[in-house]
Amino acid sequence: MLLLMIFIDHVPGNWFENITLRNFGFSDAAESFFVMSGIAAGLAYTGKLAAWRETGLWAGIAPMWKRAWVLYLTHIFLTIAGVAIFVVAAEAFGLDALLTKNNLRQIFENTGPAILGMVTLGHQIGYVNILPAYSVLLVAAPLAILAARRSPWLVLAASVALWFATGLFRLNIPAYPNSGGWFFNPFAWQLVFTVGLLTGIALRDGKRFVPKTRFLFWLAAGWLVFVLAWRYVPEFGPAMNHGMAWLGSHGLPFHITSHDKTFLPMLRLLHVLALVYVVSCLPIVTRLCAHGLAEPLRVIGRQGLLVFSAGALLSLAGQAVLAFYDGVAIVPWIYIPAGVVALWAIAWLGDWKRRAPGRTASKPASHPERTHAVIAE
């Protein structure tokens, strides 16, 4: 479902944006995506790392670093293909304005440095910029998993400290040749990934990282309701925003008071953590996910990276289509459902190929590629 929401949100100007996750609080599908990615990594890779004394350390590290390399190559392909989509739209249909959107201007006005930036992950075009952060986090994940096997709460404390220092000192990776840093700042976004990773490690052992308690459930649920009121109740929301601005003007760090997505501010962070906790405590969610009618979503999840990649290209193509048919209201109503069906078909074909005769089936929890498909992911 997160993959479909990402696709929908990445085609601005369609009605379906109104029913995606970002309308129900401060966080959107991206934060949940990182949490699920961490859970998948914890489930998929902890086993070999836990047995590193018998199998060797490299046997546990290699699958994660190989996956990070695949994500890097995928990102480069999506970037080049995304640029090509907008170039075709500009050349064939006169949509020259597209060449200045989504951080493409540097590619045409400062080509050499922009290409160097693309290869080194500094220059990232809009809507195709989530995989670099995830790739970096996978490179660091072996150390986090090894430490978490001994002291998971210490790992969480270190992750929180890094997140806080990142916002306090504005730490980031340079976005060469642009000024500023990565949109998905891995020093900040590592926190939601780490929470997911620790959750996945615990789940692999048949436990919960954060236990179910009535107090925590109602605290998290109450925060979600409070945020909804903040977003939609007249006068209350502006008053809260004014209060946060006042706190910021009196010295409270900006990542505590703001909504700056790059630094994963506290308001977005608390919202996604509360949302994940509440959802994980509701038995109906498990029943719905196991229902036969949810099979298309399960297929999409099993082919996560494939669907994410296809969705990224379809979203960029959708931006070009909506620009060409500017003002034609029916176009997004047709394009988005058609895109969702196309993504399901692509996932089904990928799943069919995996299950084709002659291919060895793998257990979901022991095969990194299959379990890890939830990333895009």
Side-chain angles (χ1 to χ4, degrees):
M1 183 63 75
L2 292 176
L3 297 170
L4 300 182
M5 289 184 183
I6 290 173
F7 163 65
I8 292 169
D9 286 340
H10 285 186
V11 188
N14 72 85
W15 178 88
F16 299 95
E17 289 180 290
N18 296 313
I19 57 174
T20 58
L21 193 58
R22 67 183 185 184
N23 296 282
F24 301 96
F26 296 138
S27 68
D28 57 29
E31 285 88 353
S32 297
F33 170 91
F34 272 84
V35 174
M36 295 300 295
S37 299
I39 293 173
L43 288 169
Y45 299 124
T46 299
K48 285 188 176 180
L49 269 178
W52 69 270
R53 288 184 176 84
E54 292 77 28
T55 61
L57 191 58
W58 179 245
I61 295 175
M64 276 179 279
W65 285 9
K66 288 178 181 178
R67 186 63 170 179
W69 176 245
V70 169
L71 296 178
Y72 169 79
L73 295 178
T74 302
H75 169 74
I76 296 299
F77 166 75
L78 292 177
T79 300
I80 295 172
V83 172
I85 288 172
F86 275 23
V87 168
V88 169
E91 293 290 332
F93 305 110
L95 301 174
D96 294 339
L98 292 177
L99 302 183
T100 62
K101 300 180 71 172
N102 298 349
N103 206 20
L104 263 66
R105 186 187 295 273
Q106 285 275 15
I107 295 173
F108 301 104
E109 297 181 0
N110 195 20
T111 305
I115 291 176
L116 179 59
M118 288 165 55
V119 173
T120 57
L121 300 181
H123 188 71
Q124 302 169 14
I125 68 173
Y127 301 104
V128 189
N129 52 6
I130 199 170
L131 293 185
Y134 184 54
S135 183
V136 168
L137 294 177
L138 268 187
V139 171
L143 179 61
I145 292 175
L146 288 172
R149 297 293 296 176
R150 302 178 69 89
S151 182
W153 290 101
L154 183 60
V155 171
L156 180 61
S159 180
V160 171
L162 177 57
W163 167 83
F164 187 81
T166 296
L168 191 62
F169 300 108
R170 308 293 179 99
L171 306 176
N172 203 342
I173 299 176
Y176 178 84
N178 300 293
S179 59
W182 288 17
F183 181 73
F184 287 100
N185 182 348
F187 298 131
W189 284 73
Q190 54 78 28
L191 179 51
V192 280
F193 176 82
T194 299
V195 170
L197 187 71
L198 296 173
T199 301
I201 293 171
L203 287 174
R204 188 179 180 89
D205 295 333
K207 306 173 184 176
R208 283 182 62 102
F209 177 59
V210 180
K212 286 184 181 181
T213 69
R214 187 181 298 275
F215 172 76
L216 283 179
F217 177 84
W218 287 112
L219 180 65
W223 171 248
L224 296 179
V225 173
F226 183 81
V227 169
L228 272 178
W230 190 331
R231 287 283 311 268
Y232 294 110
V233 174
E235 298 186 7
F236 179 65
M240 289 298 301
N241 290 333
H242 178 75
M244 298 304 285
W246 182 86
L247 291 173
S249 68
H250 284 74
L252 206 63
F254 91 105
H255 64 304
I256 304 299
T257 61
S258 76
H259 294 271
D260 188 329
K261 189 172 182 177
T262 291
F263 288 88
L264 187 62
M266 183 186 69
L267 296 175
R268 297 181 70 102
L269 173 64
L270 292 179
H271 183 262
V272 68
L273 294 180
L275 180 64
V276 169
Y277 184 79
V278 168
V279 169
S280 73
C281 291
L282 297 175
I284 190 173
V285 174
T286 302
R287 292 197 294 269
L288 288 175
C289 290
H291 197 280
L293 294 177
E295 177 60 16
L297 296 178
R298 291 195 293 271
V299 171
I300 288 173
R302 289 196 295 267
Q303 299 296 322
L305 185 57
L306 175 63
V307 172
F308 174 81
S309 302
L313 298 182
L314 282 175
S315 67
L316 295 177
Q319 292 179 34
V321 169
L322 265 61
F324 182 74
Y325 291 102
D326 186 28
V328 183
I330 193 65
V331 172
W333 285 94
I334 296 174
Y335 189 85
I336 297 301
V340 169
V341 172
L343 291 178
W344 170 78
I346 290 169
W348 186 88
L349 287 173
D351 211 46
W352 172 80
K353 183 178 180 181
R354 181 182 57 80
R355 293 183 286 103
R359 296 182 65 89
T360 303
S362 304
K363 295 181 180 179
S366 61
H367 192 287
E369 295 295 329
R370 182 175 176 186
T371 306
H372 210 57
V374 74
I375 65 131
E377 121 234 8

